[in-house]
Amino acid sequence: MMENELLDQITHVVHQLVSWVASFAIIFGGVVPYIPQYRDIRRTQNAEGFSTYVCLVLLVANILRILFRFGHYFETPLLWQSIIMIITMLIMLKLCTNVRMATELNTKHRSFTATDSKDEEIKVPKRLFLDFDWNYFWSWSRFMDYLQCVLAFTVLVTYVTYLLLDSVLFIESLGFLAVFTEAMLGTPQLYCNYQNKSTEGMSIKMVLMWTSGDTFKTGYFLLTQAPMQFWICGLLQVCVDIAILFQVYYYSLYPQKPVSHTTHTTSAKAL
């Protein structure tokens, strides 16, 4: 009898330990791949190999996921994962913006909101309200413009979600859109590599961590019986990661002449 109770206690402790480790990995594991990329950009002062559209995809996906939780409850670690990821992407955007503005002095400055023409520091022509030049969307000159865009998007979708919170169809569609957007995370980098005909400047460690992290995350979704949208799109995300790894292999085995970047001064434009 005593042996059975001891065994049950040990099993319970092990289960709790595994659960805590898995939760910690889910919350912080998603940001680990960006640590080597962040360090590479700071060390080389070159952000061309990293697509800032990756940040856009993850910001949209995680904002939508947080709103999805108001209508369809899911594990708390997944909520914290979204919050940590949003903070991480804003940090990456700030670094990339600072580096590009420091190294590309001849770039025509663009802004999300109207700017007073008297501002000699950024020299942006005065506009009435918004700069809707889609050729330069998400290629702005200041981090503040990215932040304003994210806040505007958040306010808009929060208001729409509040109005339609009682609609099961809307909530489930919101959840699918959130995880499907995240599943497309690697596609901006995939396309950026294709345009450059090279994976130079991209952290291979980042992609390897993407792949291992997405595989773990998909398994976590299945084991915790997360909403169906989560694990289906998790599988899709793993497939995109594998495609990027194939690019790394292909362009290292068959190196090609990189596309000239004289007309594409930032990786966001190259995308």
Side-chain angles (χ1 to χ4, degrees), residues 181-193:
T181 303
E182 186 175 356
M184 295 294 101
L185 165 65
T187 54
Q189 193 67 59
L190 189 73
Y191 185 61
C192 185
N193 295 341

Side-chain angles (χ1 to χ4, degrees), residues 19-30:
S19 178
W20 290 337
V21 171
S23 296
F24 183 84
I26 281 293
I27 293 171
F28 296 101

Side-chain angles (χ1 to χ4, degrees), residues 29-55:
V31 306
V32 172
Y34 300 96
I35 295 176
Q37 184 70 72
Y38 183 91
R39 294 178 63 184
D40 286 348
I41 293 174
R42 287 203 61 174
R43 177 176 54 84
T44 63
Q45 288 297 293
N46 182 0
E48 187 171 348
F50 177 72
S51 172
T52 53
Y53 277 79
V54 169
C55 300

Side-chain angles (χ1 to χ4, degrees), residues 17-245:
L17 182 61
V18 171
S19 178
W20 290 337
V21 171
S23 296
F24 183 84
I26 281 293
I27 293 171
F28 296 101
V31 306
V32 172
Y34 300 96
I35 295 176
Q37 184 70 72
Y38 183 91
R39 294 178 63 184
D40 286 348
I41 293 174
R42 287 203 61 174
R43 177 176 54 84
T44 63
Q45 288 297 293
N46 182 0
E48 187 171 348
F50 177 72
S51 172
T52 53
Y53 277 79
V54 169
C55 300
L56 174 61
V57 169
L58 280 174
L59 285 168
V60 170
N62 286 282
I63 290 169
L64 293 180
R65 184 197 283 185
I66 291 173
L67 293 175
F68 174 55
R69 193 174 190 267
F70 286 98
H72 190 148
Y73 178 83
F74 53 78
E75 293 288 321
T76 301
L78 296 178
L79 174 64
W80 280 108
Q81 180 198 45
S82 293
I83 295 172
I84 297 298
M85 184 60 73
I86 289 172
I87 295 172
T88 302
M89 289 303 101
L90 291 176
I91 292 173
M92 289 295 296
L93 275 176
K94 183 171 178 58
L95 174 65
C96 291
T97 304
N98 291 344
V99 167
R100 286 168 182 158
M101 289 307 298
T103 59
E104 298 164 5
L105 300 178
N106 294 325
T107 302
K108 183 177 180 181
H109 294 191
R110 299 279 171 171
S111 73
F112 173 67
T113 56
T115 305
D116 192 338
S117 59
K118 294 180 180 179
D119 191 338
E120 296 297 330
E121 180 182 355
I122 60 175
K123 299 179 181 178
V124 180
K126 187 175 182 179
R127 294 176 174 81
L128 294 178
F129 184 56
L130 297 179
D131 179 2
F132 281 115
D133 187 345
W134 289 107
N135 293 323
Y136 294 93
F137 176 77
W138 208 251
S139 299
W140 299 305
S141 306
R142 304 175 306 166
F143 171 69
M144 185 57 65
D145 294 303
Y146 290 98
L147 190 58
Q148 289 171 346
C149 181
V150 171
L151 289 175
F153 173 78
T154 303
V155 170
L156 177 62
V157 294
T158 300
Y159 179 68
V160 173
T161 302
Y162 173 76
L163 294 178
L164 301 174
L165 194 59
D166 294 332
S167 171
V168 176
L169 177 61
F170 172 79
I171 292 299
E172 294 302 319
S173 299
L174 182 67
F176 176 79
L177 184 61
V179 291
F180 180 77
T181 303
E182 186 175 356
M184 295 294 101
L185 165 65
T187 54
Q189 193 67 59
L190 189 73
Y191 185 61
C192 185
N193 295 341
Y194 172 76
Q195 276 203 324
N196 294 338
K197 304 301 181 192
S198 170
T199 55
E200 183 180 358
M202 181 196 73
S203 173
I204 298 176
K205 291 179 182 178
M206 179 185 72
V207 181
L208 288 172
M209 291 179 181
W210 271 357
T211 308
S212 58
D214 292 338
T215 302
F216 171 79
K217 183 171 62 178
T218 304
Y220 181 87
F221 292 157
L222 290 169
L223 292 174
T224 58
Q225 298 181 342
M228 181 179 63
Q229 300 100 318
F230 281 66
W231 60 263
I232 289 178
C233 292
L235 291 173
L236 179 59
Q237 198 167 354
V238 172
C239 292
V240 175
D241 295 339
I242 293 174
I244 296 177
L245 288 175

